Amino acid sequence: MSDDKPLRRSKEEQTADISEAQIAVHWPEEDYFSPSAKFIAQANLTDAGVFERFSLDRFPECFREFADLLDWNQRWEKTLDTSNPPFWRWFVGGKLNACFNCIDRHLARHKNKTAIHFVPEPENETVHHITYQELFVRVNEFAALLRDFCGLKTGDRVTLHLPMVAELPITMLACARLGVIHSQVFSGFSGKACADRAVDSESRVLITMDAYYRVGKLLDHKEKADIAVAEAAKEGHKVHKVLIWQRYPGKHSSPTKLVEGRDVIVNDLLKKYRGKRVEPAPLPAEAPLFLMYTSGTTGKPKGCQHSIGGYLAYVTWTSKYIQDIHPEDVYWCMADIGWITGHSYIVYGPLALGASSVVYEGVPTHPDAGRPWRIAEDLDVNIFHTSPTAIRALRRDGPDEPAKYHHHFKHMTTVGEPIEPVVWKWYHKMVGKGEAVIVDTWWQTENGGFLCSTVPAIHKMKPGSAGPGIPGIHPVIYDDEGKELPAGSGKAGNICIRNPWPGSFQTIWKDADRYVNQYYARYCKDRKSKDWRDWPYMAGDGAVQAADGYYRILGRIDDVINVAGHRLGTKEIESAALIVAEVAEAAVVPVADPIKGKVPDLYVSLKPGLKASKEIAGKVSAAIVSEIGAIARPREVVIVPDMPKTRSGKIMRRVLAAISNRQDPGDVSTLANPEVVDKIKELVK
Ligand code: WT7
């Protein structure tokens, strides 16, 4: 057990918490699967010498190869400046524009090629095929609107709360053209969650859509913008303008009224900008491209700041060599652009390579579990990318569906959570028809792109394991004392990366201390050191490395729950519960779920004199949905007479997690109130 708890803490503290690693499934090592000769024959990367080329002695100059995939207005002078660790500066002195690299540079040869296939959720609506030329026109006109109507300029931040529609990449790329920093908030997040992010990033403009389809219903989305603006005002921040795209151009699909002087219908206003062109701004490589908020150990989400040059170089290289994207490929990543996966591997990476990228509005199992395979067949998608949660749901609802369709994938990705070998094998056999290679890619919002994965034409695949570090990434597992755990030790520890890499975030927006403390302080030997070797990046995941060098990721070692591949901070959920007046204490624990990997269970105790009721439990659940979003809705709200506590008063989440997971809570005799454990067990039954 202690191997799974690499953080240094007192004995009492160690038992007071539960980490995902502790309840992670420990499946045995699996046999290898080999990539087909057909795949290898066409692959972008087949030379195993790549690892030599990216060895640590070639660091950091090896990464020039990444940046060379881009068009630069001005070439960089220094590949990496490490003079102020851990604030790494990549491609210093270089200038470029991300939008130019994703659109303009393809026009000469590919202007008539589809850049984005937008697939609406209702199956009777036609698919929109947006060519690179059309994307160019739409992005230019919208960039002109942002500049001339909103007064936005390089370095300003804008919050986007857009669903999975083509207007989302259009908006991102228009921002990138001007050097405006976009901060897209997942559309499933609540108005309040959107407000918190708009406040933190000091966005004066919020860009949204009136409505979008989800599970067969046209949802009113604009109402969330009204909540967001009102909530931001409560926090003393004024959002001046709300730009509203129409799901059906020319028609307002939300019952919510427009607010005079604040709300603007983009589709109407755009007519004024017809034919307008905006020069892509040549920007420093280290200027920020976007913020992506993610959850951490404290209640406040952190804005991961990603650069233009390093980030774009990283996602372009990894899209080319790990996703094996060729310009003629039709590529579909079924993630949401509201998460980092969508930014890197729906928008920036594939478009920088001039590929065709599919944007699907709805849920994979709507109207039935054959939907993704129909889309893939119709568009002749040959690269497919999704999460274990989606794969599990498709397998449950339509285990034999893929066989009914004539799609052929050469390559498939899984990302975001550990995948059970049995699910992996179904994905391989049924979805991939035994032909597709699979890469299990491990990385995080902070990282910009893949860290561990097999290189698809070089390595064999091993179900349930991510693979070694990708070329240029040198992972290491440290134990509690900072000792390296070698490959094949069979011991779990804390996975870190020895070296900086171009895709890594630059800092946490307005919180440089948190950036240093959370990711670099733990294993830094000397805080004064100017040598990058002294500053390993700590990911916050438990992992084991097998003798073959492949990493198996066990899950978070901190207070983060990975629900359906999305990160939720337990503290965020707990603080939302505490908003309910009746609640005295709240504790969230992860519960294993057959589809979503993990779901949160919430335990609350009430203020003195109050009686537990369904009504209070309902109120707590509703508070979490409105503070964060439906994704954080607890499976169960359990109102307990008292929390199990250590003598020092710390809530024993480990005990609660054991109860929720139907496991033995172990020895509870050292608790301050051991008698409460049986009472809680009764309640959960
Ligand atoms: C956390 C990061 C980066 C894309 C989506 C999630 C877990 C991610 C894997 C994988 C096992 C994985 C880790 C990580 N995770 N990929 N292939 N196998 N676990 O981004 O929301 O920043 O979450 O997801 O625990 O720390 P994120």
Side-chain angles (χ1 to χ4, degrees):
M1 216 40 150
S2 66
D3 289 331
D4 290 339
K5 292 292 300 173
L7 284 181
R8 198 191 318 250
R9 295 191 242 172
S10 73
K11 258 260 135 44
E12 193 175 60
E13 272 179 328
Q14 278 182 28
T15 46
D17 274 327
I18 178 77
S19 71
E20 282 211 323
Q22 280 173 304
I23 59 169
V25 267
H26 290 269
W27 47 73
E29 290 286 306
E30 291 281 328
D31 290 338
Y32 296 108
F33 285 67
S34 296
S36 70
K38 191 172 162 200
F39 177 82
I40 295 170
Q42 61 80 59
N44 280 328
L45 181 54
T46 51
D47 169 19
V50 66
F51 287 96
E52 187 51 41
R53 225 159 68 227
F54 284 90
S55 67
L56 270 182
D57 356 308
R58 309 268 166 94
F59 180 86
E61 296 309 322
C62 54
F63 281 112
R64 279 187 293 192
E65 184 180 317
F66 282 49
D68 280 335
L69 292 177
L70 303 178
D71 283 9
W72 294 78
N73 298 86
Q74 189 176 302
R75 208 175 156 75
W76 63 94
E77 285 142 21
K78 199 167 171 48
T79 303
L80 175 63
D81 172 4
T82 58
S83 60
N84 182 25
F87 299 92
W88 321 117
R89 298 167 69 220
W90 284 94
F91 311 122
V92 183
K95 287 201 170 146
L96 79 167
N97 184 281
C99 180
F100 178 89
N101 274 280
C102 290
I103 304 177
D104 305 44
R105 68 164 173 165
H106 306 312
L107 295 178
R109 284 170 53 215
H110 297 304
K111 65 169 177 277
N112 201 28
K113 178 186 170 183
T114 299
I116 294 169
H117 294 283
F118 168 60
V119 183
E121 192 191 72
E123 223 166 345
N124 59 352
E125 276 184 37
T126 51
V127 175
H128 303 228
H129 309 279
I130 300 167
T131 64
Y132 274 96
Q133 174 65 20
E134 195 180 341
L135 187 61
F136 173 77
V137 169
R138 294 189 65 182
V139 165
N140 270 279
E141 291 177 354
F142 190 56
L145 185 158
L146 291 177
R147 183 189 61 191
D148 301 342
F149 178 77
C150 300
L152 289 168
K153 41 184 203 319
T154 304
D156 290 345
R157 279 83 54 207
V158 168
T159 296
L160 282 46
H161 197 203
L162 287 164
M164 279 293 284
V165 289
E167 284 77 3
L168 172 47
I170 288 170
T171 302
M172 289 161 65
L173 291 163
C175 290
R177 199 162 185 88
L178 299 166
V180 169
I181 304 167
H182 58 75
S183 167
Q184 155 71 6
V185 178
F186 171 54
S187 60
F189 276 149
S190 65
K192 174 65 166 52
C194 179
D196 293 342
R197 289 153 177 80
V199 172
D200 189 69
S201 62
E202 298 163 278
S203 299
R204 299 290 175 194
V205 177
L206 171 62
I207 306 177
T208 189
M209 181 166 259
D210 53 2
Y212 67 97
Y213 269 100
R214 188 131 190 109
V215 207
K217 272 217 248 359
L218 188 63
L219 301 184
D220 178 10
H221 188 56
K222 197 267 179 175
E223 65 175 3
K224 288 186 175 175
D226 294 341
I227 297 170
V229 174
E231 290 289 336
K234 278 192 208 158
E235 293 176 53
H237 177 78
K238 184 161 182 207
V239 174
H240 295 282
K241 285 203 163 50
V242 177
L243 303 187
I244 304 150
W245 286 99
Q246 290 172 322
R247 172 63 176 76
Y248 295 98
K251 183 175 151 201
H252 192 51
S253 301
S254 162
T256 324
K257 290 222 163 44
L258 297 186
V259 176
E260 256 267 353
R262 186 198 77 182
D263 294 357
V264 182
I265 300 292
V266 175
N267 302 73
D268 291 342
L269 189 61
L270 264 177
K271 292 175 189 137
K272 260 181 72 180
Y273 295 90
R274 207 216 67 79
K276 287 273 185 303
R277 299 291 179 261
V278 173
E279 269 306 299
L283 297 162
E286 312 138 73
L289 178 60
F290 66 85
L291 304 179
M292 172 62 67
Y293 282 84
T294 190
S295 299
T297 41
T298 70
K300 201 170 162 282
K302 29 191 186 179
C304 295
Q305 177 185 319
H306 284 282
S307 70
I308 301 175
Y311 170 83
L312 195 64
Y314 198 75
V315 298
T316 305
W317 195 96
T318 49
S319 292
K320 179 161 181 179
Y321 296 115
I322 306 296
Q323 296 289 286
D324 200 53
I325 296 179
H326 301 238
E328 59 275 16
D329 288 328
V330 181
Y331 168 88
W332 182 15
C333 170
M334 212 166 54
D336 195 292
I337 300 173
W339 310 107
I340 190 75
T341 303
H343 274 50
S344 301
Y345 298 115
I346 297 176
V347 181
Y348 285 112
L351 296 184
L353 293 173
S356 301
S357 187
V358 178
V359 171
Y360 172 53
E361 178 179 32
V363 298
T365 49
H366 185 81
D368 56 71
R371 186 70 195 279
W373 325 130
R374 288 195 288 282
I375 294 170
E377 184 182 274
D378 290 349
L379 297 176
D380 200 13
V381 172
N382 64 343
I383 306 180
F384 185 67
H385 185 154
T386 193
S387 65
T389 289
I391 302 168
R392 288 184 212 111
L394 290 162
R395 175 173 174 260
R396 176 195 59 193
D397 293 356
D400 304 317
E401 277 306 296
K404 298 182 190 159
Y405 300 94
H406 298 285
H407 66 276
H408 289 280
F409 298 141
K410 67 166 184 178
H411 182 293
M412 305 193 300
T413 299
T414 162
V415 63
E417 340 147 45
I419 182 166
E420 299 79 358
V422 55
V423 177
W424 190 101
K425 287 175 194 164
W426 178 82
Y427 192 37
H428 184 257
K429 179 171 171 223
M430 294 303 294
V431 180
K433 306 189 173 190
E435 307 161 337
V437 292
I438 296 181
V439 290
D440 180 343
T441 57
W442 169 74
W443 59 297
Q444 315 170 289
T445 304
E446 292 86 343
N447 312 147
F450 308 140
L451 293 180
C452 287
S453 168
T454 49
V455 176
I458 295 177
H459 295 116
K460 290 183 172 151
M461 308 160 241
K462 190 164 69 177
S465 290
I470 70 157
I473 297 295
H474 300 274
V476 55
I477 298 180
Y478 289 120
D479 73 2
D480 203 14
E481 269 67 55
K483 208 174 84 235
E484 288 185 20
L485 295 175
S489 71
K491 288 197 180 128
N494 212 341
I495 187 163
C496 297
I497 310 296
R498 293 181 199 273
N499 59 297
W501 66 97
S504 184
F505 67 146
Q506 302 173 288
T507 187
I508 293 174
W509 183 254
K510 293 199 301 198
D511 204 347
D513 287 347
R514 196 172 170 196
Y515 167 79
V516 178
N517 292 329
Q518 191 140 1
Y519 301 96
Y520 293 97
R522 178 67 180 84
Y523 290 108
C524 177
K525 286 177 203 85
D526 171 11
R527 294 284 286 256
K528 292 211 177 69
S529 170
K530 297 283 177 205
D531 187 343
W532 59 265
R533 290 170 195 80
D534 291 327
W535 292 86
Y537 166 83
M538 184 186 79
D541 278 327
V544 277
Q545 189 182 25
D548 59 13
Y550 288 31
Y551 291 93
R552 198 165 73 203
I553 307 300
L554 302 172
R556 305 288 311 183
I557 52 138
D558 55 12
D559 303 321
V560 169
I561 305 183
N562 192 331
V563 180
H566 305 313
R567 233 206 270 187
L568 294 172
T570 50
K571 292 283 186 296
E572 273 170 72
I573 303 177
E574 288 165 9
S575 25
L578 289 169
I579 287 173
V580 176
E582 291 88 341
V583 173
E585 291 170 307
V588 167
V589 296
V591 189
D593 180 89
I595 299 296
K596 294 179 173 174
K598 299 277 153 48
V599 289
D601 256 6
L602 174 62
Y603 289 83
V604 294
S605 66
L606 303 180
K607 288 185 182 150
L610 295 175
K611 266 230 192 79
S613 70
K614 274 217 168 79
E615 193 202 331
I616 296 178
K619 252 165 109 175
V620 172
S621 207
I624 288 158
V625 174
S626 77
E627 286 291 302
I628 305 170
I631 183 175
R633 192 198 311 269
R635 184 189 71 151
E636 204 90 61
V637 176
V638 187
I639 303 179
V640 297
D642 194 9
M643 294 284 185
K645 283 186 185 148
T646 62
R647 296 218 180 93
S648 60
K650 201 165 172 193
I651 299 175
M652 290 279 276
R653 287 186 177 71
R654 176 181 65 79
V655 171
L656 297 172
I659 295 172
S660 275
N661 287 287
R662 304 284 186 269
Q663 288 165 350
D664 177 11
D667 180 14
V668 294
S669 62
T670 58
L671 291 188
N673 52 352
E675 70 287 348
V676 82
V677 174
D678 281 336
K679 288 190 196 153
I680 297 176
K681 272 192 188 158
E682 260 324 288
L683 287 169
V684 173
K685 241 186 206 161

